[in-house]
Amino acid sequence: MTPYHPGTHLIATLDCTDTCLLQQFEEYKALVDILISTYELKKLGEVYHNFLPAGFTGIVCLSESHLSIHTWPEYGKINLDIYLSNYQKENDGIVDLVFEAIVQFFKGTILDIQKLKR
Amino acid sequence: MTPYHPGTHLIATLDCTDTCLLQQFEEYKALVDILISTYELKKLGEVYHNFLPAGFTGIVCLSESHLSIHTWPEYGKINLDIYLSNYQKENDGIVDLVFEAIVQFFKGTILDIQKLKR
């Protein structure tokens, strides 16, 4: 049996001054689908939900683990998790690339970031 | 506007010697549904997936944030996330109660646990 290879779980909070993209999930979901395709990740399913009056949550279950986002437009904040296992291939670099793409999409400032090996 | 109240995100790895419950999601899902009902959390959607030959992943999207699990029966390991915001009510105590119930269900030993305020 191959030894267990811990993956990287990146946990971040972003600050966003332009909160338009934090209101509803549709544009973010389109970005995530492109990233999943670009980096050859495998989506098993997803849940997206728009809150009233604004803000959304989205969870994508991947064969490699998961992505999650919770937005707080009233505070200009985003809670983000990107967790990719290295079970079938080395995905540590992809965690960083996905994170950079999401930060760029929201024009976010990183308030807090942690990387757990798990 | 009420100030932002960070919630608790509990991130843990469990070791399980009895790996029967790590094979397929059905019994764990039933537990989670009971916990959601007991602690009056609001489920927005969920994705569960059984891998072949064994192991599962499950993500429950909550109005309060999310629960996720990834099991590795071949290594006797579980990766668990329980993240509940305190936006509508104080949920820090419920994070602990949900975690204790899941540890007990799997008869798990805690290999690693972290609690992030976010």
Side-chain angles (χ1 to χ4, degrees), chain A residues 2 74-75 79 81 83 118, chain B residues 2 75 79 81 83 87 118:
Chain A
T2 56
E74 63 273 48
Y75 304 109
N79 288 149
D81 286 63
Y83 178 22
R118 59 189 308 218
Chain B
T2 54
Y75 304 109
N79 288 149
D81 287 63
Y83 178 22
Y87 184 64
R118 60 189 305 217

Side-chain angles (χ1 to χ4, degrees), chain B residues 42-83:
Chain B
K42 186 177 174 192
K43 179 160 67 176
L44 300 173
E46 64 196 0
V47 181
Y48 285 95
H49 179 85
N50 287 326
F51 292 102
L52 289 173
F56 69 88
T57 190
I59 299 196
V60 182
C61 187
L62 301 168
S63 182
E64 296 82 4
S65 291
H66 66 269
L67 307 179
S68 82
I69 188 168
H70 308 291
T71 73
W72 307 88
E74 63 273 48
Y75 304 109
K77 280 171 66 102
I78 297 172
N79 288 149
L80 192 65
D81 287 63
I82 304 168
Y83 178 22

Side-chain angles (χ1 to χ4, degrees), chain B residues 11-24:
Chain B
I11 298 170
T13 301
L14 307 181
D15 185 64
C16 298
T17 49
D18 177 0
T19 60
C20 290
L21 291 170
L22 278 59
Q23 308 281 323
Q24 295 188 311

Side-chain angles (χ1 to χ4, degrees), chain A residues 2-74:
Chain A
T2 56
Y4 180 76
H5 289 103
T8 295
H9 185 163
L10 187 156
I11 298 171
T13 301
L14 306 182
D15 185 64
C16 298
T17 50
D18 177 0
T19 59
C20 291
L21 291 170
L22 280 58
Q23 310 281 322
Q24 297 187 309
F25 68 74
E26 284 75 7
E27 289 184 65
Y28 168 79
K29 178 179 183 300
L31 169 73
V32 167
D33 285 343
I34 290 169
L35 293 171
I36 287 171
S37 172
T38 300
Y39 297 116
E40 299 181 338
L41 304 173
K42 186 176 174 193
K43 179 160 67 177
L44 300 173
E46 63 197 359
V47 180
Y48 284 96
H49 179 86
N50 285 326
F51 293 103
L52 288 173
F56 68 87
T57 190
I59 299 195
V60 182
C61 187
L62 300 167
S63 183
E64 296 83 4
S65 291
H66 67 268
L67 307 179
S68 81
I69 189 169
H70 309 290
T71 73
W72 306 87
E74 63 273 48

